[in-house]
Amino acid sequence: MIETTSQADISLEALRTGDHAEFARLVDAYSAPIYRLGLRMLGNEQDAEDVLQNTFLSALTHLSNFEGRSSVLTWLYRIAVNESLMVMRRGKSEVNVDDTESSDETIEDLSPSQFVDWGALPEDELLSAEGKQALDHAIQKLPENLRMVFLLRDIQELSIKDTAEALGLTESNVKVRLLRARLSLREQLSIYYGERINQEKTND
Amino acid sequence: MTESTHSNCKSLLGSLSDYVDGELGAELCREIEKHIAECDDCRIVVDTTRKTVDLVHASNHPQAGLPDEVRDRLFKRLNLADYLKPPAQ
């Protein structure tokens, strides 16, 4: 297991002069989160590894263009997101150039439909293996454009600002997509836990 | 839930993410808390949304590192094999 090194430890200057040892340190500092993002985004290890390798190859090639306005990790995420999109669209006959649906930009049509009060269920039930599986499944079912925002913000725990930067979106856009993603997960988890609560009642 | 407060439900939704992230101003927080004290559906939406985000965070830790063989192949692909000593502790 490799601990993430804080950004301050990596010298941009050394990276730009082609210092291999420094690049190796960069790779060790940030490869794990990039790999995890790929896994969540693509759902299989082979594709995640392709994204990981291509991200760092691309970083190596484009280091001279990196101006340091965002953090190195945000910059790497941005590359990784693009690499993931390429893998996702590989083999798809129709590539949707503009994947922004108009409904992504507003919250007018959002209206929760599940009102099961499952928030008070005990932790061990919420975090059971089956519960986690239901959560993973719900995340996989999110549409691509919502999933990316959700993964960066809630799984990789980037700030709204960094998420916006990594995806080339505005912050308000990120907030709307994040809300849509969270509410969609909430609906799905409500259905799942609602069934569990009903089963328990039946068994009583 | 009363008709007069129910018209606030929609506007509450827009502040929901900021509220569960603790990034909403004090005044808006008070408005939300006042509303959910009277509107049970909204209280459930707020509680379960917060719980959803908590579960995501909880299921996300501890975070796994990079498998050794994936690291090996990455270093080789980047022509960094010379640096393939175990990562510094």
Side-chain angles (χ1 to χ4, degrees):
Chain A
M1 171 119 30
I2 296 158
E3 293 295 320
T4 300
T5 313
S6 75
Q7 171 167 5
D9 293 345
I10 306 280
S11 160
L12 269 183
E13 211 171 311
L15 288 175
R16 289 207 185 96
T17 59
D19 183 332
H20 288 190
E22 196 65 4
F23 197 77
R25 292 182 63 234
L26 175 86
V27 174
D28 269 338
Y30 298 130
S31 51
I34 297 293
Y35 181 67
R36 279 197 302 269
L37 178 71
L39 267 182
R40 288 281 193 173
M41 207 94 104
L42 302 162
N44 78 78
E45 289 166 0
Q46 186 53 55
D47 286 342
E49 190 168 343
D50 284 350
V51 165
L52 175 70
Q53 294 187 354
N54 291 340
T55 297
F56 281 100
L57 279 172
S58 175
L60 199 54
T61 314
H62 296 106
L63 255 178
S64 55
N65 301 340
F66 176 62
E67 292 169 1
R69 275 182 304 197
S70 62
S71 76
V72 179
L73 183 57
T74 304
W75 179 62
L76 290 172
Y77 275 137
R78 188 176 185 127
I79 301 173
V81 163
N82 288 330
E83 293 292 339
S84 298
L85 282 176
M86 274 195 266
V87 174
M88 280 178 189
R89 285 158 193 184
R90 205 195 281 160
K92 275 193 192 172
S93 54
E94 233 176 274
V95 175
N96 195 354
V97 181
D98 181 12
D99 70 343
T100 306
E101 290 168 32
S102 57
S103 65
D104 282 346
E105 316 313 327
T106 70
I107 55 163
E108 290 308 307
D109 61 322
L110 282 178
S111 128
S113 66
Q114 300 291 326
F115 300 99
V116 180
D117 197 3
W118 55 269
L121 284 173
E123 281 291 292
D124 58 348
E125 182 160 354
L126 292 174
L127 283 169
S128 68
E130 209 187 309
K132 282 185 182 174
Q133 216 180 350
L135 178 61
D136 279 344
H137 186 65
I139 294 171
Q140 283 301 326
K141 268 174 65 180
L142 287 173
E144 190 179 288
N145 48 0
L146 301 189
R147 192 160 83 238
M148 302 242 241
V149 168
F150 175 79
L151 289 180
L152 289 178
R153 170 68 179 147
D154 278 345
I155 303 277
Q156 308 296 117
E157 300 182 26
L158 266 67
S159 65
I160 295 278
K161 183 172 175 288
D162 286 347
T163 304
E165 209 150 304
L167 294 173
L169 297 171
T170 64
E171 288 185 37
S172 67
N173 225 294
V174 165
K175 286 189 172 192
V176 170
R177 292 191 192 191
L178 180 68
L179 177 63
R180 297 186 80 89
R182 286 173 166 182
L183 285 176
S184 167
L185 291 183
R186 192 204 73 87
E187 292 280 313
Q188 293 185 61
L189 290 182
S190 297
I191 294 169
Y192 172 76
Y193 288 115
E195 283 168 6
R196 297 287 296 257
I197 291 170
N198 277 337
Q199 271 170 13
E200 276 169 28
K201 277 187 192 153
T202 318
N203 294 340
D204 279 346
Chain B
M1 159 183 11
T2 63
E3 278 305 312
S4 60
T5 57
H6 200 60
S7 61
N8 294 334
C9 301
K10 202 84 194 179
S11 63
L12 176 144
L13 219 47
S15 310
L16 185 56
S17 264
D18 282 343
Y19 181 68
V20 301
D21 287 341
E23 285 170 8
L24 201 62
E27 197 178 323
L28 282 171
C29 280
R30 269 196 302 276
E31 262 179 47
I32 289 186
E33 277 146 23
K34 185 165 172 280
H35 176 69
I36 60 180
E38 295 163 354
C39 177
D40 207 40
D41 280 355
C42 280
R43 179 194 60 77
I44 291 174
V45 170
V46 169
D47 279 358
T48 51
T49 301
R50 178 184 284 129
K51 205 73 197 181
T52 299
V53 176
D54 286 352
L55 283 181
V56 168
H57 289 160
S59 69
N60 202 29
H61 293 277
Q63 297 192 322
L66 196 66
D68 287 343
E69 65 280 9
V70 174
R71 179 173 178 264
D72 279 8
R73 288 192 289 266
L74 176 62
F75 272 64
K76 284 174 187 151
R77 181 87 195 275
L78 295 168
N79 290 326
L80 292 172
D82 290 351
Y83 300 91
L84 247 179
K85 53 181 190 273
Q89 294 301 306

